[in-house]
Amino acid sequence: QVQLLESGGGLVHAGDSLRLSCAASGLTFSSYYMGWFRQPPGKEREFVAGISWHGGGTEYADSVKGRFTISRDNAKNTVYLQMNSLKPEDTAVYSCAAKWGASALYNYWGQGTQVTVSS
């Protein structure tokens, strides 16, 4: 049974930093492309960042470039999202997801962790 478990969310002030973690189990983690998504209140879910299976390739939404960094530790089956210079508009439920190979669709999703940024 595949599980993706996010942690590290919370309530912070604008300008603060947070690091989210997503621990995976039940899959060969190093074979999966990992992504972070977020869903702001009342809005659609949106892509935030992604990282290739070996960590050598990353991509980011324009809204977070230069502020967020995605990384992974395949030995720990964990993907991270370092979020700096947080803004109120970063407030959302953040979820991690995994997709295998060249699939365009993500195969597995976590439940999410709430990030709230106050002004």
Side-chain angles (χ1 to χ4, degrees), residues 49-66:
I51 187 166
S52 60
W53 64 271
H54 51 76
T58 58
E59 55 181 329
Y60 297 92
D62 287 343
S63 59
V64 306
K65 279 181 183 176

Side-chain angles (χ1 to χ4, degrees), residues 30 32-34 50-59 70 72 74:
S30 59
Y32 283 79
Y33 183 99
M34 298 299 296
I51 187 166
S52 60
W53 64 271
H54 51 76
T58 58
E59 55 181 329
I70 188 171
R72 66 189 296 160
N74 286 345

